[in-house]
Amino acid sequence: MTRIISPSMLSADFGNLERDTQMIDRSEAQWVHIDVMDGVFVPNISFGFPVMKPIRKATNKVLDVHLMIVEPEKYVRRFVEAGSDYVTFHYEATECIDKCIDEIHSAGAKAGISIKPATPASVLKDILPKVELVLVMSVEPGFGGKSFMPNSLDKVRELKALREQMGLDFIIEIDGGISAKNAGEVFDAGVDAVVAGSAVFGAPDPEAEIVKILNA
Ligand code: DX5
Ligand code: ZN
């Protein structure tokens, strides 16, 4: 599979959202990562539908939306209507996993499920055949700029093995603390898509940094 990078808008300049989205649009990045936080599931609040609008307008790239909110079943349809290509919600955030997946699919997007660092990959076994993406958190969700947790790669290997055993083809994505320093190891472990926020937007040349991470 080709390596995918999904720069995280959480580290963009919100006063220049259009400019920063256009930078990703010009770059080699295939996806744009959008972190939605509600202050309940995670101890931070980011943004919601109105902020997605200018991002969707500024790019045709794949919008990879990561919901860190409780009761995602209440909102997934609206996130699809706001232009998401992938809507990923957290395993820990809802009692209605099947309902979330069905809503995302019937609204016309691809569904992803994410696990926090303390959640084992094995809990996802029955869910894997129903989703197009699994997002492994390699930091505690809530903030950018945190250090990568290396044991997240054990989960990646486990998911890769399950994918093979079960004859599935979901994408394995990782989020948190990824940079050109560790991206090579991360891709080699079996990750298909990496999220990178501070490493991209904190670089002197973000477009060049995207290429560096893809070729790490
Ligand atoms: C953290 C978010 C991440 C964040 C990653 O909870 O889910 O997407 O933007 O930022 P970096 O790449 O700086 O760790
Ligand atoms: Zn994220």
Side-chain angles (χ1 to χ4, degrees), residues 40-57:
V40 180
F41 183 69
V42 288
N44 196 11
I45 299 176
S46 56
F47 52 76
F49 307 112
V51 175
M52 270 191 71
K53 258 198 190 154
I55 299 175
R56 179 70 291 175
K57 247 177 103 182

Side-chain angles (χ1 to χ4, degrees), residues 33 35 66 68 175:
H33 189 78
D35 288 302
H66 176 196
M68 287 162 273
D175 184 6

Side-chain angles (χ1 to χ4, degrees), residues 192-204:
D192 307 299
V194 299
V195 175
S198 48
V200 167
F201 287 99

Side-chain angles (χ1 to χ4, degrees), residues 8 10 33-37 66-68 135 137 175-176 195:
S8 172
L10 192 63
H33 189 78
I34 298 183
D35 288 302
V36 179
M37 305 178 184
H66 176 196
L67 301 181
M68 287 162 273
L135 173 59
M137 288 308 300
D175 184 6
V195 175

Side-chain angles (χ1 to χ4, degrees), residues 26-160:
R26 276 192 312 270
S27 80
E28 296 289 308
Q30 304 93 331
W31 291 8
V32 182
H33 189 78
I34 298 183
D35 288 302
V36 179
M37 305 178 184
D38 66 355
V40 180
F41 183 69
V42 288
N44 196 11
I45 299 176
S46 56
F47 52 76
F49 307 112
V51 175
M52 270 191 71
K53 258 198 190 154
I55 299 175
R56 179 70 291 175
K57 247 177 103 182
T59 183
N60 288 318
K61 295 214 169 172
V62 171
L63 288 198
D64 164 36
V65 176
H66 176 196
L67 301 181
M68 287 162 273
I69 63 173
V70 295
E71 301 184 349
E73 58 278 7
K74 289 188 181 165
Y75 300 102
V76 286
R77 179 166 289 275
R78 282 182 67 192
F79 279 103
V80 178
E81 286 163 5
S84 312
D85 295 288
Y86 284 84
V87 177
T88 296
F89 61 95
H90 269 266
Y91 173 84
E92 306 87 354
T94 177
E95 308 268 282
C96 316
I97 287 175
D98 282 344
K99 187 175 175 215
C100 281
I101 296 171
D102 291 346
E103 286 266 316
I104 295 166
H105 284 159
S106 70
K110 291 175 175 144
I113 186 117
S114 182
I115 47 174
K116 297 209 278 185
T119 307
S122 54
V123 301
L124 298 178
K125 206 166 174 201
D126 294 341
I127 303 164
L128 296 178
K130 303 173 196 163
V131 293
E132 285 76 36
L133 180 145
V134 176
L135 173 59
V136 175
M137 288 308 300
S138 42
V139 298
E140 275 312 325
F143 299 90
K146 297 218 261 178
S147 298
F148 177 74
M149 297 164 82
N151 55 357
S152 56
L153 293 185
D154 294 336
K155 287 190 215 177
V156 168
R157 292 186 196 99
E158 199 179 330
L159 286 163
K160 200 183 166 208

